[in-house]
Amino acid sequence: MTVLEKRNAAEEMAPGVFRIEVPTPFHVGSVNLYVLIKAEEVTLVDVGPLTEEAWQTLNEGLASIGIGLEQISQIVLTHHHVDHVGQLERVRRASGARTLAHPQAAPYVQMDEDFMVYHDQFFKELYQKSGVPEEKLIIIAKFQKLMKTFSAPSQIDGLLKHEQVLPLFPEWQVLYTPGHSQSHLSLYRAKDRVLIGGDHIIKHISSNAFIEPPRDRSRNRPLTLVQYRTALQMCADMEIDQVFSGHGERVTHHRELILSRLQKNWERTDTLRRLLASGEKTAYELTALLFPTLYEKELPLTISETIGHIDLLMILHQVEVEERDGVLHYHL
């Protein structure tokens, strides 16, 4: 085995569970893919972005445990973000495997044209109501470019829902853990209290609760930060010894980490209230104050965070809103 192959070798995390760390071109760094093995069945959890480096690393990782792509029975997607699903179609074609995911992942994975037009219009209206300057709305087109550069249209063959048994792997239970995305799933194995947590629980960073358009276009957008907090609390109430995350190291003390994240979450909400004490502000103005060094470079991420905390304050009737000229202004 060469030095490169050793570096890309899969790591056994638990009996029958292997991790392959795949590079990405994104700020988040590498993404963790997981291989579940039971007798003759193989499940691949996530596939990585559509790059040659990711493709080579996946193949070398599988080869290091004696598996070829053609042996993969099924692919499970934890969620639809491009760093996790980009090379799905390439893996599907090489393996013949079925793809399983939450129903909400489908339009993103398929890159459904009608949905993408609706998606862009949703964000244009959201950002305009948030007071984002017109010249910064180019970030919407950047999302489409990112999707087309690092992923290819694919499809989902089977749908997974909360608390169902994972096909072919009855020891694993599917959990719906929305917040970071509307399509987010985790996998739990009770016998050794292991959770494959995708981007729901990550050791070194707090997952962002990204704003997304509602699947049912007649409804209001989902309150993603509220969802995220609820799903975190569900996991805190579970007996989990190890969380295998979509990025970074395993988590071994999940309750302490979750409680810390929830507390910091409320602290940011308090910060937002203090910022509003000096007078009314738009979501964009609050974002610039909350994230002064980051908001220009990571506007979709930071404004999602800000709007999520505004949602919490609105639910608690701690903030008021007034619409003027199509822009929402918040005040205490």
Side-chain angles (χ1 to χ4, degrees):
M1 186 180 286
T2 67
V3 173
L4 181 62
E5 287 170 335
K6 284 181 180 177
R7 190 183 74 191
N8 294 337
E11 176 188 1
E12 187 166 17
M13 307 293 285
V17 183
F18 296 83
R19 179 181 71 172
I20 302 174
E21 189 176 352
V22 169
T24 81
F26 310 121
H27 180 71
V28 72
S30 59
V31 61
N32 295 326
L33 318 182
Y34 294 93
V35 184
L36 310 182
I37 302 174
K38 180 182 69 69
E40 298 301 312
E41 304 291 354
V42 177
T43 292
L44 176 63
V45 181
D46 291 338
V47 295
L50 184 59
T51 67
E52 284 303 318
E53 193 176 8
W55 177 254
Q56 179 181 343
T57 304
L58 170 60
N59 279 275
E60 290 174 357
L62 290 171
S64 73
I65 50 176
I67 292 174
L69 281 168
E70 70 282 355
Q71 293 171 261
I72 298 173
S73 310
Q74 62 189 12
I75 301 161
V76 174
L77 305 179
T78 59
H79 60 298
H80 67 260
H81 291 169
V82 68
D83 54 330
H84 292 258
V85 308
Q87 63 179 352
L88 174 61
E89 187 59 19
R90 191 172 184 183
V91 175
R92 279 172 53 86
R93 292 189 179 194
S95 65
R98 296 177 75 246
T99 301
L100 308 176
H102 189 272
Q104 297 269 24
Y108 294 95
V109 169
Q110 294 165 357
M111 295 174 72
D112 178 79
E113 189 173 337
D114 177 65
F115 175 80
M116 289 303 174
V117 171
Y118 159 63
H119 177 279
D120 287 0
Q121 186 60 35
F122 167 85
F123 276 103
K124 182 179 180 181
E125 292 175 6
L126 178 77
Y127 292 156
Q128 287 174 334
K129 284 188 174 184
S130 299
V132 176
E134 197 71 24
E135 66 272 14
K136 294 191 182 297
L137 296 182
I138 58 168
I139 59 172
I140 298 170
K142 284 183 177 179
F143 172 80
Q144 292 280 11
K145 184 179 179 181
L146 184 80
M147 291 280 287
K148 291 175 180 176
T149 302
F150 296 108
S151 67
S154 191
Q155 68 181 67
I156 293 169
D157 305 295
L159 302 178
L160 298 174
K161 295 189 177 180
H162 185 59
E163 291 191 338
Q164 81 171 78
V165 170
L166 181 65
L168 305 179
F169 286 75
E171 291 181 333
W172 291 91
Q173 182 185 48
V174 176
L175 299 177
Y176 183 43
T177 47
H180 179 65
S181 81
Q182 293 301 291
S183 64
H184 202 288
L185 299 171
S186 301
L187 300 176
Y188 179 65
R189 188 166 69 181
K191 74 171 186 178
D192 54 356
R193 303 198 283 199
V194 163
L195 182 78
I196 297 176
D199 286 2
H200 183 55
I201 301 173
I202 300 175
K203 185 175 182 178
H204 64 291
I205 51 172
S206 177
S207 300
N208 187 265
F210 283 105
I211 299 294
E212 290 180 16
R215 188 180 184 199
D216 182 342
R217 302 182 193 188
S218 67
R219 298 195 173 193
N220 294 329
R221 65 172 173 82
L223 304 181
T224 54
L225 186 58
V226 177
Q227 288 179 324
Y228 176 59
R229 289 178 57 85
T230 302
L232 278 180
Q233 189 61 62
M234 176 187 74
C235 290
D237 292 341
M238 294 176 62
E239 295 301 322
I240 300 171
D241 289 345
Q242 297 185 86
V243 180
F244 303 147
S245 304
H247 303 276
E249 303 173 13
R250 76 183 79 202
V251 173
T252 53
H253 299 284
H254 79 294
R255 287 196 181 97
E256 290 89 337
L257 181 63
I258 287 171
L259 291 175
S260 171
R261 292 273 157 81
L262 292 174
Q263 179 59 37
K264 287 179 181 177
N265 193 260
W266 279 123
E267 288 171 4
R268 182 159 285 165
T269 303
D270 287 341
T271 300
L272 195 147
R273 274 182 52 82
R274 289 196 296 273
L275 292 172
L276 287 173
S278 61
E280 70 171 26
K281 294 173 180 64
T282 66
Y284 178 73
E285 290 168 336
L286 288 166
T287 300
L289 293 169
L290 281 171
F291 307 98
T293 62
L294 189 62
Y295 82 101
E296 293 274 14
K297 293 182 288 186
E298 298 284 357
L299 187 58
L301 184 154
T302 54
I303 204 160
S304 282
E305 184 83 6
T306 302
I307 292 172
H309 286 87
I310 291 171
D311 288 343
L312 283 177
L313 289 172
M314 293 288 289
I315 289 170
L316 297 170
H317 301 286
Q318 293 182 7
V319 69
E320 304 291 334
V321 62
E322 191 175 311
E323 183 171 348
R324 294 196 305 275
D325 300 323
V327 178
L328 301 177
H329 299 263
Y330 301 94
H331 60 89
L332 297 181

